[in-house]
Amino acid sequence: MRLRGTELLVDLRAIEHNVRALATATQTRLMAVVKGDGYGHGALPVARAALQAGAQALGVALVEEGLALRAGGVDAPILVLGQSLEKGLFEGMKAGLSLCLSNEESVQALVSAAKALRVSPKAHLKIDTGMGRIGFRSAGEAVAAYEAAAKGGVTVEAAFTHFATADMQDGAAYLRGQLARFDEALLALRRAGFSGFAHAANSAAAILYPESRYDMVRPGIALYGGQIGWAGDGIGLRPALTWKAPVVQIKRLKKGESLSYGRRYIAPEERLIATLPVGYADGYRRSMFGRAEVLLKGRRAPVLGTICMDQIMADVSAIPGVKLGDEAALLGAQGEERITGAQMARWAGETIDYEIFCGISARVPRVYE
Ligand SMILES: *Cc1c(COP(=O)(O)O)cnc(C)c1O
């Protein structure tokens, strides 16, 4: 039920537009990354929109996420980007997911599962070229894994890596070092008979570094119109989210009266205050105190006082005519104004728009348009 009126509108046309813009800009096949419930946008609707717009594959972090897409009727290729343990590899294989192999143990587990079920599981070999997270750390290890997997009946569809600095202004030199190590591993794999494809680029790399595109790019944040690196995307990506909440109370605060827990705001003069039913239980971060704004009637209204679990207060003294039921935009556009995920991340401090999007909790209904 959607009684509260606090909702997350997801513009699937924007997702489709972004997929097409990325395909045009990169001229490469595209794996739409929909992990973390589609960066909070809803994995299944985003996956369908991305495939509709021409994405060839989907990327998820967990086997569970892949299984949920399969249960939703998605039969496109799905890669599990994270390393799964034996149980996950087994279930993922049964659902026809492509599985990440980044160590010897996972290769052995998948080979045994293949024998037990007499099917050929699909896998992508992960090469750690400098992210330091998962993956084979040398060309030699990758070749040994490839040979063991291929001999054991695993279909090694691809080899891939992931960049640590693609979105950083001074990240080019490190990224180029990663590319060189990836090329070295690919060459060794080819010599050992590997005939699959290669992929490496997240959103920032796909847009900013043509040499990182290989046979497929793996954009996540770009699909959602988030911030790409330091330079802007340059290809007209559109943000997909509007987070809105209605005004449920309006009152005059007299000079010297306070708002919210801890009395951290005291009115220096009379103020008109609107209360909105949204708070940190929805992912509206408490650390945005003193910086957050919402949009009402297309204008910016500062959020005053401590952000509560379920409610916030906005100063509408300068915005005439605000009444009960009026919709505030917490994120997204209203009139000429827009609050981006990146701006909200700066208000929250020490975070990025990715975390803001993923952090909008399940209590906020997603509405697709
Ligand atoms: C999350 C992720 C991506 C997508 O990254 P963005 O920066 O959101 O484009 C691509 N590849 C891997 C391995 C990932 O974990």
Side-chain angles (χ1 to χ4, degrees):
M1 271 209 275
R2 287 157 47 190
L3 302 177
R4 173 166 59 147
T6 298
E7 293 171 355
L8 197 61
L9 308 183
V10 184
D11 179 2
L12 294 175
R13 301 293 86 76
I15 307 269
E16 292 172 7
H17 166 85
N18 294 340
V19 168
R20 292 196 195 98
L22 284 160
T24 305
T26 63
Q27 293 293 311
T28 311
R29 285 191 290 157
L30 193 145
M31 174 186 293
V33 177
V34 298
K35 64 193 182 189
D37 199 23
Y39 291 41
H41 295 57
L44 190 55
V46 168
R48 287 187 180 133
L51 292 169
Q52 166 79 24
Q56 282 85 3
L58 301 167
V60 296
L62 319 177
V63 168
E64 285 88 333
E65 293 176 331
L67 297 179
L69 291 175
R70 287 279 184 259
V74 173
D75 55 15
I78 300 174
L79 172 63
V80 179
L81 297 163
Q83 181 57 57
S84 316
L85 291 171
E86 203 169 335
K87 256 205 264 182
L89 292 171
F90 196 74
E91 294 303 318
M93 178 181 87
K94 286 200 293 184
L97 306 180
S98 299
L99 297 156
C100 168
L101 296 178
S102 62
N103 53 48
E104 223 175 287
E105 293 85 344
S106 63
V107 174
Q108 287 319 318
L110 203 55
V111 165
S112 322
K115 284 208 181 94
L117 289 187
R118 294 175 198 219
V119 294
S120 179
K122 295 177 283 190
H124 292 210
L125 278 189
K126 181 73 184 279
I127 318 293
D128 180 6
T129 57
M131 178 66 181
R133 198 164 62 174
I134 53 173
F136 294 98
R137 293 174 64 86
S138 71
E141 277 180 41
V143 166
Y146 166 73
E147 285 171 343
K151 199 164 105 235
V154 175
T155 304
V156 182
E157 297 174 312
F160 72 118
T161 192
H162 190 58
F163 300 117
T165 61
D167 60 350
M168 291 172 67
Q169 187 156 14
D170 57 356
Y174 194 79
L175 182 138
R176 296 212 169 91
Q178 289 200 258
L179 278 174
R181 283 189 287 282
F182 190 46
D183 286 338
E184 186 193 331
L186 283 177
L187 187 65
L189 285 168
R190 296 278 182 230
R191 286 193 177 131
F194 166 70
S195 59
F197 62 101
H199 53 98
N202 59 357
S203 299
I207 294 170
L208 302 172
Y209 297 95
E211 67 273 36
S212 75
R213 291 173 189 156
Y214 294 91
D215 306 305
M216 182 176 260
V217 294
R218 301 192 308 266
I221 195 71
L223 300 178
Y224 308 101
Q227 180 162 302
I228 306 304
W230 73 100
D233 60 76
I235 59 170
L237 298 175
R238 292 193 205 143
L241 288 187
T242 308
W243 189 0
K244 64 187 186 77
V247 173
V248 295
Q249 164 143 4
I250 301 172
K251 63 173 167 293
R252 280 194 190 281
L253 200 65
K254 291 199 210 96
K255 178 175 174 173
E257 288 183 326
S258 63
L259 281 179
S260 197
Y261 293 116
R263 306 191 66 219
R264 290 203 280 170
Y265 177 79
I266 304 212
E269 57 197 89
E270 191 178 88
R271 284 275 188 265
L272 191 63
I273 303 293
T275 299
L276 308 172
V278 64
Y280 61 76
D282 300 298
Y284 198 82
R285 303 274 292 262
R286 190 174 179 278
S287 63
M288 297 192 296
F289 167 76
R291 291 182 290 270
E293 297 168 334
V294 300
L295 305 179
L296 259 164
K297 298 197 171 294
R299 295 176 56 186
R300 289 182 176 258
V303 173
L304 300 180
T306 302
I307 290 164
C308 305
M309 188 186 293
D310 316 297
Q311 298 173 76
I312 60 173
M313 277 66 76
D315 181 356
V316 295
S317 309
I319 308 176
V322 174
K323 54 183 193 312
L324 288 196
D326 282 357
E327 278 177 357
L330 315 171
L331 190 65
Q334 196 182 76
E336 303 289 292
E337 286 282 357
R338 173 181 290 282
I339 295 172
T340 64
Q343 177 164 46
M344 194 172 261
R346 284 192 295 276
W347 293 338
E350 195 46 50
T351 188
I352 51 177
D353 51 2
Y354 295 65
E355 195 188 17
I356 296 292
F357 297 152
C358 292
I360 301 173
S361 76
R363 192 169 82 168
V364 183
R366 270 64 174 169
V367 180
Y368 296 93
E369 45 181 16

